[in-house]
Amino acid sequence: MAKTELATLAGGCFWGVEELIRKIPGVIETSVGYTGGTVPNATYDVVKKGATGHAESLQIEFDPEKVSFETILEHFFKLHDPTTTNRQGNDVGTQYRSAIFFHSAEQQSTAQRVIQKVDASGKWKGKVVTQVVPAGPFYRAEEYHQKYLIKNPGGYTCHYYRD
């Protein structure tokens, strides 16, 4: 069995982030949930109010022999606006912030390097505000949120690939 790694990313509403990331070759499984906050066993009902410190996040299991963490981050920075603080599209609040929750020192270093590349590229009008913070407890979201855009084609998303 192949060795897998985890990546945990937040880039606004988790439905759209999941829909695009899950299609990357080498991504084995995705799960949406809540991380980065202070309330144990977070649920949508408390996170949606924006007072728990959690971000709507995507946890990604991937095969590093088929896709690198860096490649996943390159996709991540094309599918959301990393220059808006606590906002993506119509979704506003700390739960919609841009963040990389790293699982190792190597992931932390890679995240910082990729952010520098994105900033230097000039593709965004503003500076990247994506947080790079240690991964903590991840609380899987309710089942109706998992693979939401597969279950609800045409459902709300503000995520799309930008050049």
Side-chain angles (χ1 to χ4, degrees):
M1 186 163 147
K3 179 183 176 239
T4 63
E5 290 183 26
L6 285 180
T8 306
L9 308 173
C13 176
F14 46 29
W15 299 338
V17 177
E18 180 182 43
E19 181 62 14
L20 295 172
I21 295 286
R22 73 175 182 79
K23 296 176 181 178
I24 300 170
V27 169
I28 297 165
E29 185 57 57
T30 58
S31 178
V32 296
Y34 318 104
T35 193
T38 58
V39 175
N41 303 310
T43 64
Y44 183 69
D45 285 337
V46 296
V47 172
K48 73 180 179 182
K49 296 173 186 169
T52 67
H54 289 89
E56 287 196 9
S57 303
L58 177 66
Q59 194 156 81
I60 305 149
E61 181 183 4
F62 66 98
D63 180 344
E65 292 187 11
K66 294 183 179 173
V67 64
S68 68
F69 181 63
E70 184 165 349
T71 297
I72 290 171
L73 292 183
E74 289 167 354
H75 282 265
F76 175 65
F77 283 110
K78 290 179 182 176
L79 64 81
H80 82 295
D81 182 347
T83 67
T84 56
T85 302
N86 301 331
R87 178 185 197 123
Q88 287 299 309
N90 295 324
D91 298 324
V92 179
T94 58
Q95 68 271 36
Y96 300 114
R97 68 187 178 273
S98 177
I100 299 166
F101 298 92
F102 60 85
H103 293 268
S104 67
E106 183 181 349
Q107 282 190 355
Q108 179 183 20
S109 174
T110 300
Q112 291 166 336
R113 184 177 67 254
V114 171
I115 287 172
Q116 288 175 343
K117 263 184 7 186
V118 171
D119 265 336
S121 76
K123 294 192 182 220
W124 295 102
K125 290 180 183 174
K127 189 162 178 56
V128 171
V129 297
T130 303
Q131 299 172 342
V132 178
V133 293
F138 179 85
Y139 303 103
R140 184 178 160 91
E142 297 77 3
E143 193 55 39
Y144 70 92
H145 288 297
Q146 306 300 326
K147 313 287 188 290
Y148 183 85
L149 292 172
I150 293 174
K151 296 172 188 171
N152 300 279
Y156 171 76
T157 183
C158 62
H159 295 90
Y160 58 91
Y161 279 112
R162 296 143 172 101
D163 289 329

